[in-house]
Amino acid sequence: MKAVVFHEFGGLDVLSLEDVPDPRPGPGEVLIDVAACALNHLDVDVREGISRFPVEPPFILGIEVVGRIAELGEGVEGWQVGERVMPFLMATCGDCTYCRTGRESLCLTPGFISFSTSGGYAERLACSTRHLMRVPDELSDEAAAALQIAFGTAWHMLFTRGKLGPGETVMINAVGSGIGSAAVQLAHFAGATVIGNASSDEKLARASELGMDHGINHATQDVVAEVMRLTDDRGVDLVFEHVGGTLFQQGLDSLAKDGRLVICGGHSGEVVPFDIIPFFRGQKSVIGSFVYTRDEVERCLELARRGKIEPLVYKSFPLAEAREAMATMERREQFGKIVIRPGEFEP
Ligand SMILES: [Zn+2]
């Protein structure tokens, strides 16, 4: 099969399109013809060798996959060749204390797509049936690939970890990103007042179309002053944070008393100073959030099937142009997700 492989960590030029042996489905596994694979910023970190996940080249990237079952491994029941599936990011054990209490994203022995299987920047991928979820007919391959991580992560942050309720006010950082734009849609759908920020007025205008009530340009405006102006000096109930650095600090300062800041990433500054005094005097909370559960993704799939939320695809590329696809993501000019289409290989 064709796959995009890197043999050493580095920049875009380490990626090469190669012929590699087809993966084979082992017992309890299926072989999937990959139709679409969405890109994530994690792919860049993995390629550069700074992801803090145990990865050794040669390596095939790609964690967010949609495709069709091409072959069943030994002992597989309940799945058919030709069914359209989306591997859940993690193969959770179902048996540890976290899996048994509805917190499967904390599974003690998780397997991850691409880390414990091959990745989605390839024509085929083999994985355990423990990963599999069915994809509704109403969604295109590309839209389905764009849904899982953005909406699953946003759901877990907003509702499960952040406990966002109707009538509350939430500030969503970087609304132009995949999870930012997903969070705007889910928070709006849930009846919250949505304040969002982005680095350009163009991105803010797009987010307004998705249900954002107020926009702040964090490149030209004072985020905390604007939040206080918009909330009559009260602050917001919840900050949706995934950026790190300055926006993390500004998020803490934008919280109302007893407010919560929920965070799942920090590319713009992973280690930050932290002013303890206003934090405890305001009785604020910082809440970590890691991926999502299968049930949360299935709820998002159902909302998308009914047209209540829309996975956003900025642009898609054939597999052979994976380097250009990553370059586009690294320029951070997109609104929504970038997808590659191994199912439409063009030599
Ligand atoms: Zn487990």
Side-chain angles (χ1 to χ4, degrees):
M1 68 170 183
K2 299 285 185 190
V4 171
V5 185
F6 67 83
H7 294 271
E8 56 180 327
F9 294 120
L12 290 163
D13 56 351
V14 301
L15 298 174
S16 72
L17 182 69
E18 298 175 7
D19 289 302
V20 301
D22 273 25
R24 298 299 308 149
E29 295 185 342
V30 296
L31 182 69
I32 296 171
D33 281 334
V34 179
C37 177
L39 274 59
N40 287 276
H41 199 88
L42 177 62
D43 301 356
V44 179
D45 290 353
V46 171
R47 191 197 67 210
E48 292 181 343
I50 57 167
S51 69
R52 304 195 203 180
F53 280 103
V55 170
E56 285 301 327
F59 192 80
I60 301 172
L61 294 163
I63 53 179
E64 201 169 12
V65 169
V66 168
R68 285 168 186 73
I69 296 178
E71 195 179 328
L72 305 179
E74 189 188 324
V76 169
E77 289 177 9
W79 299 92
Q80 308 293 329
V81 169
E83 271 191 292
R84 197 160 63 127
V85 292
M86 166 192 285
F88 178 57
L89 179 66
M90 304 168 75
T92 50
C93 76
D95 197 39
C96 70
T97 182
Y98 297 104
C99 284
R100 284 186 282 108
T101 50
R103 296 175 288 170
E104 62 187 332
S105 73
L106 300 175
C107 178
L108 294 173
T109 55
F112 285 90
I113 291 293
S114 92
F115 300 139
S116 53
T117 68
S118 52
Y121 289 28
E123 291 182 296
R124 280 177 279 284
L125 176 153
C127 70
S128 163
T129 55
R130 289 192 308 182
H131 285 281
L132 297 186
M133 296 184 290
R134 291 187 170 85
V135 178
D137 293 341
E138 289 84 350
L139 291 180
S140 71
D141 292 331
E142 291 169 15
L147 177 137
Q148 184 183 157
I149 289 179
F151 282 91
T153 304
W155 183 295
H156 194 65
M157 289 176 71
L158 288 173
F159 306 131
T160 305
R161 301 293 294 154
K163 304 270 191 284
L164 182 67
E168 286 197 313
T169 299
V170 57
M171 176 164 77
I172 295 167
N173 288 341
V175 291
S177 63
I179 64 170
S181 57
V184 168
Q185 295 186 60
L186 289 172
H188 173 69
F189 182 74
T193 297
V194 179
I195 298 173
N197 63 57
S199 58
S200 78
D201 291 342
E202 201 179 0
K203 288 178 178 178
L204 291 173
R206 290 281 286 115
S208 296
E209 294 167 12
L210 299 173
M212 185 182 73
D213 298 285
H214 309 285
I216 301 171
N217 184 325
H218 64 67
T220 62
Q221 288 179 290
D222 180 330
V223 170
V224 179
E226 277 302 296
V227 166
M228 292 306 164
R229 187 183 69 77
L230 291 164
T231 59
D232 294 330
D233 287 328
R234 181 179 171 273
V236 297
D237 301 294
L238 180 69
V239 169
F240 180 96
E241 207 323 63
H242 54 104
V243 180
T246 307
L247 278 172
F248 174 81
Q249 310 280 345
Q250 292 170 335
L252 281 180
D253 293 341
S254 298
L255 285 175
K257 286 185 189 292
D258 215 16
R260 298 95 67 198
L261 181 148
V262 62
I263 183 160
C264 77
H267 282 116
S268 295
E270 294 179 355
V271 179
V272 294
F274 188 102
D275 189 345
I276 294 167
I277 305 301
F279 178 74
F280 77 77
R281 286 185 183 166
Q283 208 169 294
K284 299 173 183 180
S285 304
V286 173
I287 303 163
S289 187
F290 182 59
V291 294
Y292 42 81
T293 66
R294 193 176 315 230
D295 177 64
E296 289 163 342
V297 178
E298 286 173 344
R299 290 184 197 210
C300 293
L301 283 168
E302 173 63 10
L303 287 180
R305 189 187 68 74
R306 289 163 51 202
K308 302 296 184 187
I309 58 173
E310 183 190 358
L312 300 175
V313 178
Y314 174 74
K315 195 171 179 190
S316 66
F317 295 83
L319 179 63
E321 293 172 21
R323 193 183 290 185
E324 178 52 29
M326 285 198 100
T328 304
M329 178 172 66
E330 288 174 63
R331 287 195 295 271
R332 295 180 179 277
E333 63 195 17
Q334 75 275 14
F335 192 98
K337 299 280 284 194
I338 293 164
V339 176
I340 58 173
R341 303 183 311 269
E344 293 174 36
F345 177 70
E346 291 153 25

